[in-house]
Amino acid sequence: MRELREKCAVVGVFGVKNAAKYAYLGLYAMQHRGQEATGISVSNGERIATIKKHGLVSMAYDDRMLERAQGSIAIGHNRYSTAGEHTMMDAQPIFARYALGEMAIAHNGNFPTYMKIRKKLIDKGAIFSSSMDTENLIHLVAQSNKTSLRLRILDALGQVEGAYSLLFLSQKELFAARDPHGFRPLSIAKVDGGYMVASETCAFDLAEAEFVRDIEPGEMVVFQEGREPESIHFAKSIPKQCIFEHIYFARPDSFLFGESVYEVRKELGRLLWEEDPIKADMVIPVPDSSIPHAIGYSQASGLPFELGIIRNHYVGRTFIEPTQRIRDLKVKRKLSPIRSLIDGKRLVIVDDSIVRGTTSKKIVSLLKRYGAKEVHMRIASPAIGFPCYYGIDTPHQNELISHSKSTEEIRDYLAADSLCFLSVAALKKAVHSHGDYCLSCFDGRYFHKR
Ligand code: AMP
């Protein structure tokens, strides 16, 4: 069975006319969290209808489609998966009919031990139509003997382990739950007399919704007509929020786990300078994700900030290409240095992370070929030595360059003049509630039974 590593976006809308349109806006703003497939389920109080499409949100839906999707409750999902077949079966929301009616589920996260549960369900006669870990939940809810959907969801959540920000839609209700560690984000906002729930607050900005609060780890919020949202704390909260959301994954205009992503990134850049200052002529980010980090570095160091590497926005993702050869080629097509700017110069290149080392190696060699005198790589996160089981797409451990090589060996492999990773201590310092973050990709400390 192929590996499932998903980092996705979820959005929920409750109590507004034409909820699907709001879900669409939310998904549009959160396109960066998944580009492979997108889907919206909408309930008109009687029936749930679901649209699912491959590709980008802007291409998947049109006005007529959204107009026809009538109903005041909706959930939506953008999917990002890595390897394997990209079938529609693996797109979300997942819809099902069961003893109490209809439901649809959208999930951001990962259940690392889902195969154990799936085997038990199959032994009991369950049939699966996708390879998604999320499908387990449908069966756990359907097979529960509790008398209401809310109790069945709680029953199901008590049997799974891992990372989830989950939305359940029934004909009349919306349920939004975050796992007890709160690995993945999930926030609530008010909009046009109703509510919106989303992975990132940038979704609220586009829909002109007003941020209310984050859903807490171990909390489920129930939205029902004619009542205030009801909060249920179903498990003890032991926060282990994903620090990588701040480093790379979230959009810089989002407010995540109580802080501005942009400000955290600038702080990472500032600390990177503090930890290992170096003489150079300019600071250049690896676009686009490292721009805020490089601004922080530039402001702290006083070195001029330059956009010395230009990104071609029409090249697809380089990160998940199946072979190293294609990844190498794509990095070159995607990133192009400005020759006249860098010729003969000493450069500090700021990137947010090194995973396999593909991007950094290509960049150093391009910059040297274009005449750079010195290239100093500065990485605004610690060395990633361990895979993520909680929804961030990282390859197998043996593909992680920092798993098998020391910093000096990586510098040598990259052919850089110097290389520095941010320390774990500095990373913790950059976020306020530092005890509450998961650092497993850096320290290998996991939070599920293995
Ligand atoms: P690599 O080239 O494999 O070392 O990957 C590092 C580059 O990919 C950096 O420029 C990051 O901005 C970006 N990156 C890091 N993590 C991820 C991820 N989970 N998905 C996509 N890109 C990533």
Side-chain angles (χ1 to χ4, degrees), residues 98-100 140-159:
Y98 72 117
L100 304 182
L140 292 173
V141 170
Q143 291 185 5
S144 168
N145 56 14
K146 304 285 185 220
T147 51
S148 66
L149 179 55
R150 85 164 51 194
L151 293 177
R152 285 181 180 222
I153 294 172
L154 294 175
D155 193 17
L157 295 184
Q159 298 173 64

Side-chain angles (χ1 to χ4, degrees), residues 80 158 199 250 358 387 398 430:
Y80 180 136
S199 300
T358 316
N398 53 15

Side-chain angles (χ1 to χ4, degrees), residues 7 80 244 248-249 286 289-290 318-320 327 331 351-360 384 392-394 401:
K7 42 178 200 170
Y80 180 136
F244 210 68
Y248 165 79
F249 197 37
V286 177
S289 52
S290 306
T318 52
F319 191 79
I320 61 167
R327 274 198 292 271
V331 171
D351 203 354
D352 53 80
S353 55
I354 289 184
V355 181
R356 299 179 183 88
T358 316
T359 311
S360 305
I384 299 177
I392 289 288
D393 160 30
T394 43
I401 193 166

Side-chain angles (χ1 to χ4, degrees), residues 231-386:
S231 163
I232 300 170
H233 290 270
F234 64 89
K236 184 168 181 282
S237 159
I238 307 166
K240 291 291 163 205
Q241 302 170 125
C242 172
I243 196 96
F244 210 68
E245 291 269 358
H246 268 303
I247 293 168
Y248 165 79
F249 197 37
R251 247 172 64 157
D253 53 337
S254 283
F255 195 75
L256 190 94
F257 309 141
E259 13 204 345
S260 150
V261 175
Y262 184 78
E263 291 303 330
V264 168
R265 287 185 188 169
K266 267 178 52 182
E267 184 63 5
L268 293 172
R270 192 184 71 73
L271 292 166
L272 197 52
W273 157 258
E274 245 184 32
E275 288 206 317
D276 190 8
I278 188 145
K279 281 205 181 99
D281 298 310
M282 64 185 80
V283 182
I284 294 176
V286 177
D288 293 327
S289 52
S290 306
I291 290 173
H293 313 76
I295 290 175
Y297 191 100
S298 162
Q299 289 178 354
S301 62
L303 296 174
F305 172 93
E306 295 283 2
L307 282 175
I309 303 171
I310 300 303
R311 175 172 164 193
N312 182 331
H313 286 263
Y314 307 98
V315 179
R317 293 165 296 167
T318 52
F319 191 79
I320 61 167
E321 291 302 334
T323 69
Q324 191 59 35
R325 204 180 59 79
I326 301 179
R327 274 198 292 271
D328 281 348
L329 202 80
K330 275 217 166 166
V331 171
K332 193 164 166 233
R333 273 195 280 160
K334 185 167 168 179
L335 301 172
S336 178
I338 300 179
R339 194 188 292 267
S340 57
L341 184 73
I342 62 172
D343 195 10
K345 299 291 191 329
R346 298 166 302 169
L347 313 176
V348 170
I349 305 297
V350 175
D351 203 354
D352 53 80
S353 55
I354 289 184
V355 181
R356 299 179 183 88
T358 316
T359 311
S360 305
K361 188 169 173 59
K362 268 273 140 338
I363 284 175
V364 175
S365 102
L366 273 174
L367 293 169
K368 289 269 165 127
R369 211 171 337 133
Y370 280 43
K373 194 164 139 208
E374 291 170 19
V375 179
H376 302 279
M377 292 301 296
R378 290 293 176 271
I379 310 302
S381 61
I384 299 177
F386 304 89

Side-chain angles (χ1 to χ4, degrees), residues 40 78 93 102 135 137 161 164 180 190 258 344 391 428:
I40 294 176
N78 283 341
E102 298 184 348
E135 202 179 346
L137 278 174
E161 196 182 27
Y164 53 83
K190 283 191 174 171
K428 286 186 182 168

